Structure formats: C-alpha cells, structure tokens
Amino acid sequence: MKSKIITTLIAAFVAVAALAGSTAIAPEASARVASGTYSYTITTFGVQSKNHAVIRGNVVSVRPPAGGVQRYRLHQTKSGAYYDVMGTRYVLRKQRGGVYSGPTHWGPAVIGHSTLVPRR
C-alpha cells in the first residue's frame, strides 16, 4: 500500500513538472521578424552597404546594389532573428518602430553592425 502511494505521488509530480515545462517553453518567437519590405544597411569593417530586403516567413531576400537576389533562412529567436552566411552571423534584435538591428559576427569577433528598417 505504501509503495502505491509513493508511485502515485511520483507520477503526479512528473506530470505537473512536464506540464509546467511545456507552458514555459511555448512563447518562443514573440519578437518574430515581420514579413514585409525593408531598407537594410550593413556596415562591415567600416564599409557601409545599403540594400533592399524582403522578408516572407523565415526567408530574407536581399537585393544588393550590384548583383542578383540573395536568399537566406532566418532563425527566429525571442529577441528577433539571425541568419548565417559563409561563417558570418547577422543578428537582428527588435527595436522600437519595427526596426531590427544588431551586431555582425565572424566567428567570435564582432566585425560590424546591421539595421533593418521597414519601408512604408
């Protein structure tokens, strides 16, 4: 009888812990980068590049001044998103007014900054 009570208590504890864990994880992408058209400024090693960008779902399409459209997969986070290109990580954190900005990393080093501003 004593072992049945202990087993029941353990099962109840595990169920409550599992339920609490699933509700704590649920609101992950609250600062998801919104779909739309943006002006995208990237500064790398002090050199600035202004581009036109379109976000649809988890894909950002960047049209640089010289060259064709480049598409990258966005990884949504709690604070915005990031994407990787050939060892370089572009971080986009949500700011006021629908603007996203953040550092650009090459490995562990910060090599620049990028800003995504909605076009109206």
Side-chain angles (χ1 to χ4, degrees), residues 14-86:
V14 169
V16 169
L19 182 61
S22 66
T23 58
I25 295 171
E28 171 65 28
S30 60
R32 175 179 197 91
V33 178
S35 293
T37 58
Y38 293 86
S39 294
Y40 192 29
T41 305
I42 302 170
T43 305
T44 307
F45 297 116
V47 177
Q48 191 175 64
S49 171
K50 293 188 179 192
N51 307 296
H52 177 73
V54 177
I55 295 180
R56 287 196 178 97
N58 287 333
V59 175
V60 58
S61 301
V62 180
R63 183 182 305 273
V69 175
Q70 301 165 350
R71 291 178 178 82
Y72 307 107
R73 183 174 183 270
L74 286 174
H75 302 276
Q76 304 288 349
T77 65
K78 290 180 186 177
S79 61
Y82 70 90
Y83 68 95
D84 297 322
V85 180
M86 297 179 0

Side-chain angles (χ1 to χ4, degrees), residues 1 3 45 89 93 96:
M1 181 69 172
S3 65
F45 297 116
R89 175 163 289 179
R93 293 187 191 117
R96 292 184 196 182

Side-chain angles (χ1 to χ4, degrees), residues 1-18:
M1 181 69 172
K2 187 176 181 181
S3 65
K4 281 189 174 188
I5 293 173
I6 292 173
T7 304
T8 304
L9 287 173
I10 291 173
F13 177 75
V14 169
V16 169

